[in-house]
Amino acid sequence: MSDNSAIEWLRGPDGRRGATWNFVTGCTKVSEGCRRCYIERQTPMRVAGRRFDGPHIGATTGVMLHPERLDMPLKKRDPLRIFVNSMSDLWHDDVPTEMVAHAFAVMAMTPQHTYLILTKRPGPMRSMLRSDDFWKAVGEAGRGIAFARVRGKYRSASPMQLTPDSSADGYWMPVRPLPNVQIGVSTEDQATADLRIPTLLATPHIAVRWISAEPLLGPVVLRDEWLAADPESSTPALDWVVAGGESGTDARLMHPDWPRSLRDQCTAAGVPFFFKQWGAWTPTGMVGIGNQGPRFAYIGDPVDEHGHRIVMENVGKHQAGAILDGQTWTEYPDA
Ligand code: SF4
C-alpha cells in the first residue's frame, strides 16, 4: 500500500497526499480512454515486465490477485484517502466477487478512511451492489475480521454497523451505503457518459457518485437529471465531476472548451468540479495555421474566416499545470 500518491484528486480538501491500495493489478482495455492506460508505466508493472499485449480495445496485461494486501487499511489508524485498485478495475471479470466483498468489509470497518473507486465497468458493479447476496458476503467477511479483532489483530478496525434484520447466528447485513466509499465511472467522451452515467446513477447503495472525465477526448454534455436529482424521482444525481487531459508520450489533445464546458455545467448546477490537469498539451492562447509537429498542434474547428485554429503546445504535464481560465478548480463533494 502506497501512502504517497501524486494523484491530484486523491489529496482531498486538506491537500495531503493520498494512498493507493492495489489488491488486484493488471487490466484489460475496454474503451478509447484505456488506449494509453498508465498502469503499465507504473513501477510494479514495469519491474515485473507486465505490459498490455497491444494498444487495441481488448488488449490485456493479465490480472493478478494479491489477497495478502486486503487487510492493509485495517492496520492504518490515521485517516487516509485511498484510491482502491489504482492499477486495475474492481469489476474486471477476473476479480472474484468474494474478493470484492472482502474489500467492502474492510472499507466498512475502517470508517476513518475515505475510499475512492473508479470503474469503466458499471454494469457488473450495478449487478453486484444491488444483490443482497453480495452484501451478505460483505457481512460474512466482516464477521471474520471482527473475530480477528477480538483476538487482538486489526486494532485500528471498528465494528461493522449492521442493519436490524441481521441475524446473530445467521448472516450479517451491513448498513448501506457505506458512508466512506465514493464510487465513480470514467467518462472520456459523450458515448461513454451516455453509457456509464445512467448505470452509475441506477446503482443502489452508493454514498457519493462521481465521474472522472479523464482523459477527456471530446465534449461531454451532462443531462439535467444527472446534475440535479428530480425530487419526484428516487434516482440520485452526480455528487462530483473530475476532468483532465491526457499526459505522457503520444498524449491526445483536449480542446480547452471541453473542460470549460464541464466546469460551467457543474457551476450552474452546484455540483463540485475538480480540474485535475491539462495533461501534456496546454493551450497557448494563440490561434494559428500551418504544419503540426511534436511540439505544436491545432485543435477544433476554424475560429475565423482565414482558417486559424486554436494552437496547443506540448510542454508536458508538470509545466502544463491545472490553471483553467486563470484559476484552479479543486472542489470536493461533501463527505
Ligand atoms: S479500465 Fe482503467 S486500468 Fe483498466 S485498462 Fe482501462 S484505463 Fe487501464
Side-chain angles (χ1 to χ4, degrees):
M1 190 166 171
S2 160
D3 294 5
N4 198 25
S5 170
I7 297 171
E8 290 81 353
W9 47 255
L10 201 48
R11 288 176 179 268
D14 60 9
R16 280 185 304 164
R17 288 199 158 210
T20 52
W21 176 32
N22 284 298
F23 49 87
V24 181
T25 54
C27 201
T28 304
K29 299 184 182 188
V30 291
S31 64
E32 275 303 316
C34 300
R35 188 166 291 280
R36 299 199 59 265
C37 176
Y38 71 104
I39 66 169
E40 65 182 4
R41 298 192 292 281
Q42 299 294 293
T43 304
M45 298 289 281
R46 274 195 290 114
V47 168
R50 297 177 62 201
R51 298 185 59 82
F52 285 100
D53 53 5
H56 55 281
I57 309 301
T60 187
T61 60
V63 168
M64 284 181 65
L65 307 179
H66 308 278
E68 73 283 1
R69 300 178 186 172
L70 273 169
D71 64 354
M72 287 177 165
L74 296 164
K75 301 173 182 171
K76 303 280 184 182
R77 186 175 298 276
D78 292 338
L80 291 168
R81 282 172 62 88
I82 299 176
F83 185 10
V84 181
N85 275 350
S86 65
M87 288 198 282
S88 186
D89 189 320
L90 195 57
W91 285 284
H92 189 288
D93 281 350
D94 294 344
V95 181
T97 301
E98 305 74 52
M99 195 170 208
V100 182
H102 196 106
F104 270 73
V106 170
M107 293 190 280
M109 299 177 79
T110 47
Q112 70 271 34
H113 305 316
T114 300
Y115 294 90
L116 292 99
I117 304 174
L118 194 53
T119 184
K120 287 189 174 71
R121 294 165 171 86
M125 171 190 72
R126 180 179 56 177
S127 302
M128 196 176 283
L129 295 192
R130 69 181 178 190
S131 157
D132 280 353
D133 287 344
F134 169 73
W135 289 102
K136 286 177 185 173
V138 174
E140 267 320 292
R143 198 196 314 239
I145 294 169
F147 284 143
R149 184 170 169 269
V150 167
R151 292 197 304 270
K153 210 175 169 191
Y154 305 140
R155 290 185 184 279
S156 298
S158 299
M160 180 178 275
Q161 301 300 309
L162 301 175
T163 57
D165 63 343
S166 297
S167 129
D169 50 359
Y171 60 86
W172 282 18
M173 180 65 89
V175 168
R176 303 164 288 175
L178 304 182
N180 58 333
V181 179
Q182 307 184 353
I183 302 183
V185 293
S186 302
T187 53
E188 60 259 35
D189 53 21
Q190 191 68 54
T192 49
D194 290 344
L195 190 69
R196 295 172 183 158
I197 293 175
T199 310
L200 171 71
L201 298 181
T203 303
H205 311 312
I206 300 178
V208 172
R209 294 173 174 82
W210 58 290
I211 63 169
S212 171
E214 186 203 4
L216 189 54
L217 302 177
V220 174
V221 176
L222 301 170
R223 290 187 211 149
D224 290 347
E225 67 268 26
W226 298 346
L227 289 170
D230 177 349
E232 311 231 324
S233 142
S234 56
T235 306
L238 293 172
D239 299 296
W240 192 30
V241 171
V242 174
E246 193 164 60
S247 54
T249 316
D250 300 326
R252 291 163 286 185
L253 296 162
M254 176 175 68
H255 193 298
D257 285 349
W258 301 342
R260 220 171 248 151
S261 164
L262 281 173
R263 174 204 59 196
D264 293 346
Q265 294 174 66
C266 289
T267 303
V271 174
F273 176 74
F274 192 107
F275 184 53
K276 178 170 176 269
Q277 60 180 44
W278 279 105
W281 297 89
T282 188
T284 59
M286 298 182 289
V287 295
I289 193 165
N291 294 329
Q292 308 197 50
R295 176 134 177 242
F296 292 100
Y298 304 90
I299 188 165
D301 295 328
V303 295
D304 60 25
E305 69 276 15
H306 304 296
H308 290 99
R309 296 160 66 207
I310 289 172
V311 181
M312 305 287 290
E313 182 177 6
N314 190 334
V315 296
K317 170 184 163 161
H318 294 294
Q319 194 177 328
I323 304 289
L324 178 60
D325 293 334
Q327 72 171 90
T328 54
W329 293 84
T330 56
E331 297 170 344
Y332 288 92
D334 295 333

